[in-house]
Amino acid sequence: MSLIVRRARSTSLPNLLAWRALGFRTVCSGRLGLAPSSPHSPAPAGVKILESFKEEFEVGSQVVTLETGKIARFANGSVVLGMDETKVLSTVTCAKSNSPGDFLPLTVDYQEKLFAQGLIPNTYMRREGAPKERELLCGRIIDRPIRPLFPSGFYHEVQIMASVLSMDGKQDPDVLAANAASAALMLSDVPWGGPIGVIRLGRIDGQIVVNPTMDELCESDLSLIYACTRDKTMMIDVQSREITEKDLAAALRLAHPEAVKYIDPQIRLAAKAGKQKKEYKLSMLSEKLLEKVADLAATRIESIFSDPSKGKFERGEALDIIGKDVIKVFEEEGDQESLSILPKAVDTVRKKVVRSRMISGGFRVDGRHLDEVRDIYCESHHLHAAGVHGSALFSRGETQVLCAVTLGAPGDAQKLDSIAGPPKKKFMLHYSFPPFCTNEVGKKGGLNRREVGHGTLAEKALLAVMPPEADFPYTVRINSEVMASDGSTSMASVCGGSMALMDAGIPLRAHVAGVSVGLVTDVDPSSGEIKDYRIVTDILGLEDHLGDMDFKIAGTRSGVTAIQLDIKPAGIPLDIVCESLENGREARLQILDHMEREINSPREQDARLATLKYTNDALRSLIGPMGALKRKIEEETGARLYIDDGTLTIVAKNQAVMEKAQEKVDFIIGREIVVGGVYKGTVTSIKEYGAFVEFNGGQQGLLHMSELSHEPVSKVSDVLHIGKYITMMCIDTDVRGNIKLSLKALLPKPDPKSASCPPGKIPVVKDTVSIETSSFGETVASLPSVVEPPQKSKLAVPAVVIRTAVECDEAEKSSPVDKNTTAKRAATVKPDRKLKSTASKQTGTHKEEEELKSTAPEVTMTNCAKKPSRKKKQLENEAEESTSVSARKLKIGTEMTAKVQQVRTHGLVLDLGGGIRGMYKFEGDEETEFEIGDALQVKCTSFTTKGIPVMALVDEEEI
C-alpha cells in the first residue's frame, strides 16, 4: 500500500487522473482492476507463461495439426486437432480412486454445438439440450477402439470429452475427434496402450479416396472408418452399396498404412508435452486364487458346457449353483478378502474352460460346428391388422425379433439439427431391447447408446437396397422389437427388417441378411502373439461375452452393405479380419435362402401416398385461416395432408381414405382439367339435352345425354337427378373454357352380336333382356337377341331426344307443345285395346330404343343371314338420305296419318309418306295389338340424334 501512495505523490497529473498512475485500468461496478504490464517488460517471478506445442503432418491430401497447451490446461490431457478450418478439442480426466465395480467406467461424450457453424439453436431456450443420435454414435466411434487398450484391472473412472470448436463443412469431425482423443490420452498420466490412428476412406468410380469430404461421400459407394495400432486392427465401421468381400479386404489393407500416419505425431507430441504415466492400483486376480477356484469348479463347469441340450437359462442356473458352492467354501475358510473378487474369478475360470474346448476340439456351447448357423424361422406378414403396413418375425436359434414397417409422407422425415450430415432422414430403423427379452427386471428409459448403435447399424445395412427417392417418395420407419436375445439381435433386425419392407410392398433391390462372426484365440502370455485361433460363425450371447471379437457383417448375395467390428483384446491381425469376411458370406447366403423362400418379392399394396401439384394460391385456400380447413379435412377423412411449396402430399391408411381425401381436396381447389382425366362431381341441373355437373373445386361441365350411356336414353331424368354424385371423364375442352363430360366413356362398350333371319320374315327382338352391373354400380342391359315376331306389343311414351342444344331451343320457341299434357295424353289408353303388364320389357327399354333407331330407315334388317345386293344397298342408302333430309323439314307438333311398316316388340316403324320413316315406342306397362298396314294418327314430338322423327299417337278425343 505504501508503494501505491508513493507513486500517487510522484505523479504530476490531476487528482482525478491519478488512478492511472497507480496502474488501475478501469473502474467497473465500483471496483478497480490492475492494468497489465508492458508486453516488452519481463514477466514477474512466479507467473506461468502459456506455452503451446504443435505437430503438423500430412494425411492424404490434407494437412493435420495437433496442438496442446493453449486451452483446457487444467485437464489431465487436452489436444486440439485441426484439418483445414475444422477444429476439435478432446480432453481426458481421471478419478483418483478406484470405482467399486469390476469393470472400466469409461465415459465418452461427443458434443456438436451450433456456434461451430455460426448458428443459434432453434429450441425454445436457444441452447443445446440432450445428446442427439449423431452425438451418441460419434461417441461410440471414439469409445470402441480406445477401450480395449486400457490395462486389465484398471477400474478408475475415466471421462473423455470431444467438442467441435469450428467446422468448415468439408470434413466430418467424428474421425478427427477420435484421433484427438487418442492424442489426449497420450498426453495424460492415465495408463493406456495407445496411440491409435483412425482414418476414413471412400470409393468413387472404383478409386479409393482418403479423407473424403462430405460432398464426396454422397457420391461414394463406400464409407469405411478404420482404427488401428501400428500393427493390429482395433475397430472397423463400414457402410457400402453391396461391395464385394474382395474389394472390401483390399480397402482395409489400404486403410491401415494411412491410419498409421496419425501415430508418430502423437508420440512426438507426448514426448514434448506429455505427463509421466502415474502408477495406478490395478485390481488383479492372483494365480493362487484362480487355481483354487479352478480346482473347485472347472470340472463341473466343463460338464455343463458339454451338454448341448441345455439352453441359455439352464446353463445360467447351473453356473449360479456352482458359484454359490464356491462362495460357501471360501466363507467356511473365512477368506473375506477373496470373497469380494470371487465372482470375477469364477467367470475367469468359466472363460478358460469354454475357450480351451473350442481351441482344442472345436466344441461349441450348444454342440454346433464352428461354421454352423442356428435354425432359422421366418414369417412375413405376421401382423395382419390393416393399419400395419408390413411386418415380419425372424428367429435364429433362441434370438427372436419382430419388425414392423410404417410408411409416411415426405413431411414425416426426421429433422436432424446437426452441423454435419443431411438435414433430414427419410429412412429410420428404431431398435428396442426391452428387459423381458433376457428375463430381467429393468427400467425402460430414453435414448440408450447401445440401442441407438444397434439400430443405426441395421439401418445402414438396409439403406443400400432402398429404392431411389424419386421413385419412392415415402418416409419409412422400421420398429425392431427384440422378443428374445441370445446373440446378435442387431443382425436379426436386419433380416426381419428386410422381410418387413417387402411385406409392406417396398421394391427392394434384394434381400439383406446379417450374421455375427466371433473369434477365440490362444495367446502366448510372454510375447502376446497369437499361437492359434478359431473363427466362429453365428455366435451365441455367451460366446460373444467369452470370445475376442464380435464381427457383424450384413449384405446381399452381391456384396456387403454394413460392417461393425468390436474387439476385446488389444488388437487383432488384419489377416484374421479379412479371413472372417468369407465365413460371414457363407453364413449370409444360408440365411438368405430361408428368407427368400418366405417372401422373395414385394407384396402388392394399395397406394398410400399421392403427390399433387398446385399453385401456392390454391394451397392457401386449402389451408384456410390458421389451418382450420386443412385440419377439418384430416379429421373427416382420417388422411394426413402435407403442404410444401406448390406440392400437396396426401397420406392415407387405405385406398378408400385416399379417395375420400382427394375428393375433398378436389372440391375445394380442384385439379387441372385434362382431357381423358376421370373426375367426380355433383349434378346441379338437368336440361332436356343433358345435365350440368359441378366438380373439381366448383367448375361446371356439360354432360350431354348422348354421353350418358352406350344405349339410347329417352330422358336425362331416367339416369340422373339433381344432387347425384357421379364419376365421369372429361372428353373435350375449348378455348372458351367449356368442358364436355361423358359417362359412357367409363362404361364397357357392348359387343355387337350378329343374328340371322329367314327370308320373308320380319326380325324382332326378344322381349327378355339380361341385366348386368357395370363397374360403377349402375344397371346396364345387355344387347337383345333376334327371335320370332310376337303377337302383341306395348304402348309407351316416346323418347324426347334433341340433336343439339341450339336446335332444342329453336324447337321450343317454334312449338307451344306442353310436355306435361303430352305425357298425359300418351298415357291415355283406348278402351278396346288389351292391356298387359310386362315388367321384363321395361328393363330392356333402352336397348330396344337403339334397335328401333338403327332399323327405322331400312325396310330389312342389316344383320339378316342373306346379304343384300348392290342395287338394294343403293336404294337403302338413298332412302336413308331422303329420310334424314325430309325429317329435318318436319316441325315438332306436326300431325299426320302414318302406316305401320314394321311391328317391333317395343315399338313400331311407321311410313310417314314420301319415303319418310318414323318411330313410335310403346308404353312400358301396357300392350296392344297392331298389324302391318294399319293407319294411325300421329304427331311429331322430337327427333333422334340420327334425325329420325319420333312420333306419338293422337287420341281420338283430340281429333
Side-chain angles (χ1 to χ4, degrees):
M1 190 66 184
S2 60
L3 176 62
I4 297 177
V5 173
R6 287 196 302 269
R7 291 175 61 183
R9 289 176 177 175
S10 63
T11 180
S12 60
L13 295 175
N15 292 334
L16 293 176
L17 301 180
W19 61 274
R20 290 189 180 276
L22 301 180
F24 297 119
R25 66 171 183 266
T26 183
V27 179
C28 182
S29 300
R31 297 181 182 180
L32 296 177
L34 289 174
S37 303
S38 173
H40 303 288
S41 61
V47 176
K48 188 173 182 180
I49 299 175
L50 296 180
E51 184 179 6
S52 62
F53 301 90
K54 193 173 183 179
E55 284 290 329
E56 190 172 294
F57 56 100
E58 212 174 288
V59 177
S61 59
Q62 283 82 22
V63 176
V64 182
T65 59
L66 291 172
E67 186 176 5
T68 186
K70 182 174 289 188
I71 60 175
R73 297 172 57 86
F74 284 175
N76 201 327
S78 65
V79 168
V80 175
L81 188 146
M83 180 181 290
D84 296 332
E85 298 299 324
T86 301
K87 294 184 181 299
V88 180
L89 168 67
S90 286
T91 61
V92 174
T93 54
C94 180
K96 295 180 174 60
S97 59
N98 242 351
S99 63
D102 58 351
F103 62 93
L104 171 64
L106 172 64
T107 304
V108 178
D109 295 317
Y110 173 87
Q111 291 181 320
E112 289 180 343
K113 294 192 175 182
L114 295 184
F115 73 80
Q117 277 196 326
L119 301 175
I120 296 176
N122 195 24
T123 60
Y124 178 75
M125 299 296 294
R126 295 297 187 267
R127 63 183 302 165
E128 290 79 4
K132 308 179 189 70
E133 281 192 13
R134 171 177 162 81
E135 292 175 328
L136 296 179
L137 294 172
C138 292
R140 284 173 58 87
I141 291 291
I142 301 170
D143 183 291
R144 287 158 50 197
I146 285 174
R147 186 178 292 270
L149 295 175
F150 284 93
S152 178
F154 180 75
Y155 298 148
H156 290 257
E157 186 174 1
V158 178
Q159 184 178 32
I160 299 174
M161 297 190 68
S163 303
V164 181
L165 301 181
S166 65
M167 184 178 173
D168 57 5
K170 297 179 181 179
Q171 293 292 329
D172 195 323
D174 54 354
V175 171
L176 306 182
N179 286 293
S182 173
L185 282 168
M186 290 295 294
L187 293 174
S188 70
D189 61 8
V190 179
W192 187 62
I196 64 169
V198 186
I199 195 72
R200 173 182 268 114
L201 297 185
R203 190 177 73 165
I204 302 175
D205 298 330
Q207 300 296 321
I208 297 296
V209 180
V210 180
N211 289 331
T213 64
M214 286 187 285
D215 292 337
E216 289 174 335
L217 281 176
C218 296
E219 304 174 5
S220 173
D221 62 354
L222 171 68
S223 177
L224 166 65
I225 300 177
Y226 180 84
C228 65
T229 59
R230 194 176 295 276
D231 55 356
K232 291 184 179 180
T233 300
M234 296 302 302
M235 186 271 295
I236 298 174
D237 196 276
V238 173
Q239 179 180 0
S240 61
R241 300 174 189 169
E242 298 181 88
I243 186 173
T244 63
E245 282 77 7
K246 182 179 178 181
D247 291 345
L248 182 58
L252 292 173
R253 298 188 185 280
L254 286 174
H256 190 89
E258 293 294 332
V260 170
K261 293 180 180 179
Y262 281 94
I263 293 178
D264 289 334
Q266 295 181 48
I267 296 175
R268 293 196 298 267
L269 185 65
K272 294 178 184 178
K275 297 179 181 179
Q276 185 176 359
K277 295 300 178 182
K278 187 177 179 181
E279 294 293 333
Y280 287 89
K281 181 181 178 181
L282 303 179
S283 300
M284 304 296 293
L285 297 174
S286 64
E287 292 294 331
K288 182 180 179 180
L289 177 62
L290 291 175
E291 290 177 3
K292 186 175 182 179
V293 173
D295 293 339
L296 293 173
T299 305
R300 296 173 63 185
I301 291 175
E302 187 172 1
S303 64
I304 293 173
F305 293 123
S306 301
D307 186 4
S309 62
K310 292 183 180 295
K312 174 180 180 179
F313 294 104
E314 290 80 4
R315 290 192 298 266
E317 291 173 359
L319 290 172
D320 289 341
I321 294 174
I322 294 174
K324 291 178 182 178
D325 293 342
V326 172
I327 292 174
K328 186 177 180 181
V329 172
F330 278 81
E331 286 177 347
E332 292 175 353
E333 295 179 356
D335 191 354
Q336 297 297 328
E337 184 179 354
S338 301
L339 284 175
S340 60
I341 58 175
L342 200 55
K344 186 169 183 63
V346 174
D347 184 70
T348 303
V349 172
R350 180 182 62 169
K351 181 176 181 180
K352 288 183 178 180
V353 170
V354 174
R355 293 168 66 91
S356 61
R357 281 173 50 82
M358 297 178 72
I359 290 290
S360 59
F363 301 113
R364 299 182 67 171
V365 173
D366 56 355
R368 287 182 293 144
H369 297 293
L370 295 177
D371 59 349
E372 185 178 350
V373 180
R374 287 173 284 177
D375 294 335
I376 305 294
Y377 173 76
C378 304
E379 181 184 342
S380 64
H381 202 56
H382 177 74
L383 303 175
H384 299 281
V388 180
H389 299 161
S391 62
L393 184 67
F394 180 84
S395 299
R396 183 176 56 235
E398 293 182 327
T399 296
Q400 187 181 63
V401 172
L402 173 65
C403 291
V405 172
T406 307
L407 303 179
D412 290 325
Q414 180 184 3
K415 295 181 180 179
L416 304 176
D417 190 12
S418 176
I419 63 176
K424 292 183 179 180
K425 186 168 68 171
K426 296 185 65 176
F427 178 70
M428 300 162 282
L429 192 147
H430 295 156
Y431 170 95
S432 179
F433 192 88
F436 68 79
C437 69
T438 54
N439 195 26
E440 296 176 353
V441 177
K443 187 177 181 181
K444 188 64 178 173
L447 282 178
N448 179 281
R449 290 175 183 260
R450 180 180 180 276
E451 290 183 348
V452 172
H454 281 44
T456 303
L457 173 62
E459 180 183 300
K460 291 190 295 186
L462 294 170
L463 184 61
V465 297
M466 289 292 291
E469 184 177 342
D471 301 333
F472 192 79
Y474 292 87
T475 295
V476 182
R477 182 195 183 205
I478 303 177
N479 282 84
S480 177
E481 305 293 326
V482 180
M483 300 288 109
S485 174
D486 190 15
S488 192
T489 53
S490 61
M491 294 295 97
S493 299
V494 173
C495 302
S498 180
M499 291 193 300
L501 289 171
M502 281 203 175
D503 184 60
I506 299 176
L508 300 183
R509 291 208 301 267
H511 261 313
V512 182
V515 69
S516 185
V517 179
L519 177 70
V520 177
T521 59
D522 183 13
V523 180
D524 186 356
S526 60
S527 63
E529 296 295 328
I530 297 176
K531 297 187 298 183
D532 199 2
Y533 65 92
R534 295 288 183 271
I535 297 175
V536 186
T537 302
D538 186 21
I539 57 177
L540 298 171
L542 181 64
E543 293 171 337
D544 182 14
H545 173 67
L546 302 178
D548 297 328
M549 177 179 76
D550 183 10
F551 195 13
K552 299 180 178 69
I553 309 171
T556 64
R557 293 188 180 275
S558 302
V560 175
T561 58
I563 277 180
Q564 179 177 297
L565 171 65
D566 296 321
I567 63 172
K568 294 181 179 65
I572 294 175
L574 183 56
D575 292 337
I576 296 179
V577 174
C578 294
E579 183 182 347
S580 303
L581 290 173
E582 184 60 27
N583 292 61
R585 189 187 73 85
E586 294 175 358
R588 188 172 74 243
L589 296 180
Q590 297 179 37
I591 300 171
L592 286 171
D593 290 338
H594 290 83
M595 295 169 58
E596 290 171 355
R597 282 196 293 267
E598 175 64 21
I599 180 171
N600 60 1
S601 61
R603 188 165 62 92
E604 293 185 1
Q605 295 275 14
D606 294 333
R608 299 187 180 92
L609 183 145
T611 302
L612 306 174
K613 296 291 185 179
Y614 295 100
T615 63
N616 288 329
D617 293 336
L619 291 177
R620 289 190 195 99
S621 63
L622 176 65
I623 295 173
M626 303 298 291
L629 192 55
K630 173 177 171 290
R631 287 195 301 271
K632 182 179 179 182
I633 296 175
E634 292 178 335
E635 292 172 359
E636 292 178 352
T637 63
R640 298 170 69 183
L641 307 183
Y642 298 89
I643 298 173
D644 181 21
D645 192 21
T647 302
L648 170 65
T649 303
I650 306 175
V651 181
K653 294 181 179 179
N654 50 53
Q655 191 64 25
V657 175
M658 175 66 72
E659 292 177 357
K660 188 176 180 181
Q662 287 182 341
E663 291 170 10
K664 295 279 187 182
V665 172
D666 290 346
F667 185 78
I668 296 173
I669 60 177
R671 282 183 288 169
E672 182 182 357
I673 301 299
V674 179
V675 175
V678 179
Y679 304 91
K680 293 185 178 182
T682 304
V683 178
T684 57
S685 64
I686 294 180
K687 304 296 182 182
E688 293 182 353
Y689 49 86
F692 286 96
V693 182
E694 182 178 348
F695 70 105
N696 201 41
Q699 291 182 299
Q700 292 275 348
L702 173 63
L703 180 58
H704 195 268
M705 67 182 309
S706 62
E707 296 295 333
L708 294 177
S709 174
H710 292 291
E711 312 302 331
V713 176
S714 59
K715 291 183 179 180
V716 179
S717 58
D718 292 342
V719 181
L720 302 176
H721 60 81
I722 294 177
K724 186 175 182 180
Y725 196 68
I726 59 174
T727 302
M728 64 274 176
M729 178 185 289
C730 175
I731 58 174
D732 192 17
T733 58
D734 57 25
V735 294
R736 292 175 294 179
N738 297 326
I739 303 170
K740 296 181 181 180
L741 306 173
S742 174
L743 279 180
K744 73 178 184 180
L746 299 175
L747 299 175
K749 292 184 179 180
D751 297 330
K753 297 181 179 179
S754 59
S756 60
C757 61
K761 291 191 177 183
I762 301 174
V764 296
V765 180
K766 189 175 180 180
D767 57 358
T768 58
V769 182
S770 61
I771 305 299
E772 298 178 357
T773 302
S774 70
S775 59
F776 295 89
E778 299 177 356
T779 303
V780 181
S782 65
L783 290 175
S785 58
V786 179
V787 295
E788 293 295 338
Q791 298 298 325
K792 299 179 180 181
S793 63
K794 62 181 181 178
L795 188 63
V797 179
V800 181
V801 183
I802 305 302
R803 288 164 291 178
T804 63
V806 177
E807 294 177 22
C808 178
D809 296 335
E810 292 176 357
E812 288 179 351
K813 293 177 182 178
S814 61
S815 178
V817 179
D818 187 0
K819 299 171 187 174
N820 296 330
T821 307
T822 306
K824 291 178 181 179
R825 289 199 301 267
T828 307
V829 183
K830 296 182 179 182
D832 59 343
R833 294 179 178 176
K834 300 178 182 179
L835 302 179
K836 182 178 179 181
S837 176
T838 54
S840 62
K841 296 178 182 179
Q842 267 185 343
T843 313
T845 301
H846 300 307
K847 290 290 183 178
E848 194 64 31
E849 180 181 344
E850 185 183 16
E851 196 72 11
L852 288 171
K853 291 179 184 178
S854 61
T855 58
E858 302 178 0
V859 179
T860 308
M861 292 287 292
T862 59
N863 58 352
C864 292
K866 188 175 180 180
K867 295 183 178 180
S869 62
R870 181 179 302 178
K871 184 176 181 180
K872 189 174 182 180
K873 285 185 177 181
Q874 292 177 355
L875 292 174
E876 291 175 354
N877 293 335
E878 292 174 2
E880 183 175 356
E881 292 176 3
S882 175
T883 301
S884 61
V885 172
S886 301
R888 291 182 181 272
K889 296 179 181 179
L890 293 176
K891 295 182 179 180
I892 295 176
T894 303
E895 297 184 2
M896 66 185 69
T897 301
K899 291 185 178 181
V900 178
Q901 186 173 11
Q902 291 186 20
V903 180
R904 311 291 292 173
T905 303
H906 297 289
L908 304 176
V909 177
L910 302 178
D911 183 4
L912 305 181
I916 302 175
R917 302 292 182 266
M919 59 180 288
Y920 170 78
K921 191 169 66 173
F922 296 143
E923 189 175 351
D925 57 351
E926 296 178 348
E927 184 177 304
T928 184
E929 296 182 357
F930 290 95
E931 292 181 1
I932 297 176
D934 287 351
L936 302 175
Q937 189 71 16
V938 294
K939 179 170 61 176
C940 179
T941 59
S942 64
F943 298 89
T944 68
T945 56
K946 295 183 179 180
I948 301 170
V950 180
M951 314 302 293
L953 292 177
V954 179
D955 295 341
E956 293 178 356
E957 298 176 357
E958 296 180 3
I959 298 175

